[in-house]
Amino acid sequence: MKQIHVNNITEAVKNSCLEANYRLPSDVMNALETAAASEPFKPAAGILNRIVENHHLAAKGVYPICQDTGIVFVLVELGQEVHIEGGSLEEAINEGVRQGYGQGFLRKSVVGDPIQRVNTGDNTPAAIQWRVVPGDQLRVVIAPKGFGSENMSRLKMLKPSDGLQGVEDFILETVELAGSNPCPPIVIGVGIGGTFDLVAGLAKRALMRPLDEAHHDPYYQALEASLLEKVNATGIGPQGFGGKTTALAVRIEAYPTHIAGLPVAVNINCHAARHVEFTL
Amino acid sequence: MMEKTENIQKDIRITAPLSREQALELKAGDSVLISGVIYTARDAAHKRMVETLDQGGDLPFDVRDAIVYYVGPSPARPGNVIGSAGPTTSGRMDAYAPRLLDLGLRGMIGKGARNQGVIDAIVRNEAVYFAAIGGGAAVIADSIKSMEVIAFEELGAEAVRRLEVVDLPAIVAIDSTGANYYDIGRRAYLAERDGAAGDVTDAAGAGEGDEV
Ligand code: SF4
């Protein structure tokens, strides 16, 4: 059994929070640069170039990519042969967030209670999705999530008879309703199947797949490509001012579901699609 | 001061506070560079300002001809004026904006579409809604030269701040006549795309040598 001390986890989470908020990962940068070069609508290409310029400036380490440094989404894949020592894993993660957001001059955007709304002052707690997996490694993805885009996300329990058409209609309707609000170009995470709770998690996890990594299943790989084409035919464009580049990618995660249901969730992310991962 | 030219790509320099005359000259889709004094307020500050008005109190700044920027900046590093400072979603301020516009507010900077109530209030008061690039926060921070918290300090990032800005880049999203660039821009792209549908080479060529 492999031993991992909580102090190492805290340190890695802290460093990932700093990295994620100042340096957009290369998969997203490449997608943005490609989009800027191939955008046919002149004003839209200009906006995309401005966005690329912003992310280069942020990488110098003075100003974060976006002032909304997000609530920290954390995907934890804990190998079942790992033993965590020295304290609570959850507290170690939150301590890493606390240190990273303090040291990095990052905005504290979390309120302790959703109704009473008092800021916790240190951007904790993180929003953690736990998975136990085979093996002896701890894999963690740190993804600060802005709420301009999170607020535009939706979930619906479709009927099996709605089929693929129903899923596509719901995705396109969600993109249309989101319009200019989620800072397009966006990245669209789609969960299909499972249960009410599971499908939202699938959509979020879909957003964690790097933009240059194809879906392992050819059926979903093709569906992602055709959906991206449909989204980019809407003409919403960068910032909602018209253009081809409404989305950089559509990512899908599917899971078995009940004979009576077809849950679908659409989690929208902005072009500031920050994500950093580490493995211990 | 206005430097309006025929070239739509050229940035128009405007100063804040924004006079009625400047506001009337701006057209949806214009690129502008804003210099002067502006004020920040987002969700919580708007709620507090409207509560203050309800109780017969005064706003923390002179609202006449003012420009309000919907932003909650990240903390400043030592030696810096401010942290990143891009726009937040304006739609959440739609419930409050007409009240401030009717008191003389001349401009708003944010991101995303506004509802009909806000558009009507913009037209009624000859005001302008500017969109800054959402997620363009580092570039915008560079244009902010001074920052002072003037009200609701306890709200942290949401406090009301007085900013001095030089050449803050934005786009006229809704002009004083109610023309809405979210509709106009999208229609223009679709028309260009569908007009050029038979000739893909031409459509691609239109994107060359661009700069906004
Ligand atoms: S949606 Fe994304 S880019 Fe836009 S303000 Fe929020 S975090 Fe920043």
Side-chain angles (χ1 to χ4, degrees), chain B residues 1-3 12-27 32-38 62-68 101 104-108 122 125-130 172 175-176:
Chain B
M1 203 185 104
M2 312 285 295
E3 296 176 2
I12 300 167
R13 291 205 142 79
I14 56 173
T15 52
L18 186 68
S19 65
R20 174 176 172 277
E21 291 68 32
Q22 289 186 92
L24 289 178
E25 287 219 30
L26 297 172
K27 295 283 161 270
V32 297
L33 296 170
I34 303 170
S35 299
V37 173
I38 63 175
D62 184 0
V63 73
R64 278 164 306 157
D65 289 343
I67 294 180
V68 163
L101 287 164
L105 181 70
R106 186 73 64 192
M108 301 157 284
I122 286 172
N125 295 292
E126 300 173 311
V128 185
Y129 169 52
F130 302 96
V172 176
D175 68 23
S176 58

Side-chain angles (χ1 to χ4, degrees), chain B residues 32-35 38 69 85 109 132 140 143-144 163 165-170:
Chain B
V32 297
L33 296 170
I34 303 170
S35 299
I38 63 175
Y69 182 18
I109 310 170
I140 294 169
S143 70
I144 299 172
L163 304 182
V165 298
V166 175
D167 289 347
L168 187 154

Side-chain angles (χ1 to χ4, degrees), chain A residues 240-242, chain B residues 113 119 173 178-190:
Chain A
F241 289 129
Chain B
I119 295 174
N180 188 346
Y181 195 56
Y182 288 107
D183 297 335
I184 295 166
R186 186 174 178 182
R187 275 206 311 275
Y189 163 67
L190 291 174

Side-chain angles (χ1 to χ4, degrees), chain B residues 131-177:
Chain B
I133 293 185
V139 169
I140 294 169
D142 239 9
S143 70
I144 299 172
K145 304 305 170 192
S146 81
M147 191 266 290
E148 184 195 348
V149 173
I150 59 166
F152 314 135
E153 186 159 14
E154 64 282 8
L155 296 179
E158 295 204 52
V160 173
R161 292 169 162 81
R162 178 186 187 276
L163 304 182
E164 267 177 85
V165 298
V166 175
D167 289 347
L168 187 154
I171 295 165
V172 176
I174 302 171
D175 68 23
S176 58
T177 68

Side-chain angles (χ1 to χ4, degrees), chain A residues 66-69 145-150 181-183 269-272 274, chain B residues 87-88 111 134-136:
Chain A
C66 188
Q67 80 290 337
D68 185 355
T69 51
K145 186 67 175 73
F147 255 53
S149 50
E150 192 75 357
N181 291 321
C183 298
N269 205 358
C270 50
H271 62 82
R274 296 152 283 190
Chain B
T88 195
K111 68 167 169 97

Side-chain angles (χ1 to χ4, degrees), chain A residues 38-55:
Chain A
S38 62
E39 169 63 54
F41 191 50
K42 236 169 131 177
I47 289 173
L48 291 170
N49 283 326
R50 283 255 175 104
I51 289 172
V52 168
E53 180 196 333
N54 182 76
H55 298 343

Side-chain angles (χ1 to χ4, degrees), chain B residues 89-102:
Chain B
T89 309
S90 306
R92 294 195 315 271
M93 267 53 77
D94 282 359
Y96 310 109
R99 180 97 180 253
L100 299 183
L101 287 164
D102 287 339

